Amino acid sequence: MKISTFLISYYLLCLFIIGCNSTDQKKGNTNTVKTEVKQATTSNKSKKNIIFFGNSLTAGYGLEKEAAFPSVIQREFDLQKINYNCINAGLSGETTAGGNDRVDWILNQNKPDIFVLALGGNDALRGISPESSQQNLESIIDKVRAVNPECKILLTGIVPPPNMGQDYFDAFQKIYPTVSSNKKTFLLKFLLENVAGEPSLNQEDGIHPNKEGAEIVAKNVIEALKPLL
């Protein structure tokens, strides 16, 4: 994995994110997510629910809805007759604080049997304190378990940008194993394993996976989900 190339690209995204996540766009994204999550409440009621709760990487920024990695996972599950309904609750630009506010609405729509928590990238880009990000992630997990104490949770990690300094980098990388240990979750150390830093697997921004990259991300997540199914 070419971490150095990925980190440089992540630094460039600090500028890119300003242009692609305006308030108006986020409102539109929120409405889209709400529509799709509500639709999930009226379909596939016989299946168990996996909620994918994340940011633009989960939402499938720059891709057709069917190419986002939760949709890829749904197709694979259908082929293998794995009886789960994959609900994409990703929102571009989402931080852990925003997710902590939004998760109540999501949980009110669908009770999760498995919850994939994929937030933190935007926190790192904005230099939000690792302590705050950790508290938000743990709060989200607590809210999920309040709705379903038996829910299995998969936490997915990210690599922070280098421009905040080594101390911040080191502190942020510790968030995910610490939260996973504290809250007894399953852990996927790096969501973009084998995708980050590979130009042929990413869109022009160098950050968001293209269709082929999203398929690899889906494989990463499926492998991490196997012990939970």
Side-chain angles (χ1 to χ4, degrees):
M1 177 178 60
K2 299 178 181 178
I3 289 292
S4 60
T5 303
F6 173 63
L7 293 178
I8 293 171
S9 297
Y10 235 147
Y11 175 76
L12 294 176
L13 186 59
C14 293
L15 297 177
F16 171 79
I17 196 171
I18 295 174
C20 73
N21 289 316
S22 65
T23 301
D24 289 341
Q25 181 191 31
K26 189 165 183 179
K27 286 181 179 178
N29 289 340
T30 301
N31 291 335
T32 300
V33 171
K34 286 186 175 182
T35 299
E36 293 177 357
V37 171
K38 282 183 177 179
Q39 288 173 346
T41 66
T42 60
S43 63
N44 299 321
K45 289 186 177 181
S46 64
K47 294 183 177 182
K48 294 181 178 180
N49 289 327
I50 302 180
I51 294 179
F52 295 86
F53 191 71
N55 50 36
S56 57
L57 298 174
T58 301
Y61 177 86
L63 302 173
E64 296 293 330
K65 182 177 67 174
E66 293 76 14
F69 80 79
S71 296
V72 177
I73 293 174
Q74 182 70 75
R75 288 196 296 275
E76 184 64 23
F77 280 3
D78 291 345
L79 285 173
Q80 297 186 25
K81 300 187 184 304
I82 297 174
N83 197 39
Y84 279 91
N85 180 36
C86 296
I87 300 170
N88 189 339
L91 178 63
S92 293
E94 189 76 290
T95 60
T96 59
N100 191 33
D101 291 336
R102 184 169 66 97
V103 72
D104 298 300
W105 186 91
I106 297 295
L107 294 172
N108 190 50
Q109 302 303 311
N110 295 278
K111 180 181 177 180
D113 298 283
I114 296 176
F115 191 89
V116 179
L117 178 53
L119 286 174
N122 289 314
D123 291 44
L125 290 172
R126 299 175 187 184
I128 294 172
S129 74
E131 293 82 4
S132 176
S133 299
Q134 179 177 331
Q135 289 172 3
N136 290 326
L137 290 171
E138 292 186 349
S139 176
I140 291 169
I141 292 169
D142 288 342
K143 289 179 178 182
V144 172
R145 287 187 170 145
V147 170
N148 180 11
E150 302 302 318
C151 182
K152 299 174 182 177
I153 297 174
L154 174 64
L155 179 65
T156 73
I158 58 95
V159 175
N163 59 304
M164 300 301 294
Q166 191 64 44
D167 289 344
Y168 185 89
F169 183 90
D170 292 342
F172 206 93
Q173 278 204 303
K174 292 177 182 177
I175 290 175
Y176 297 95
T178 300
V179 171
S180 183
S181 177
N182 289 347
K183 295 299 179 180
K184 310 301 181 187
T185 75
F186 294 82
L187 177 65
L188 173 58
K189 291 182 179 179
F190 188 35
L191 179 65
L192 298 176
E193 184 76 36
N194 299 321
V195 176
E198 296 292 341
S200 63
L201 298 175
N202 287 277
Q203 299 176 46
E204 290 184 3
D205 59 46
I207 297 299
H208 296 92
N210 57 24
K211 182 179 179 180
E212 291 75 18
E215 290 174 356
I216 295 175
V217 174
K219 291 179 181 178
N220 294 341
V221 177
I222 288 173
E223 189 64 29
L225 283 172
K226 284 182 178 178
L228 289 71
L229 298 174

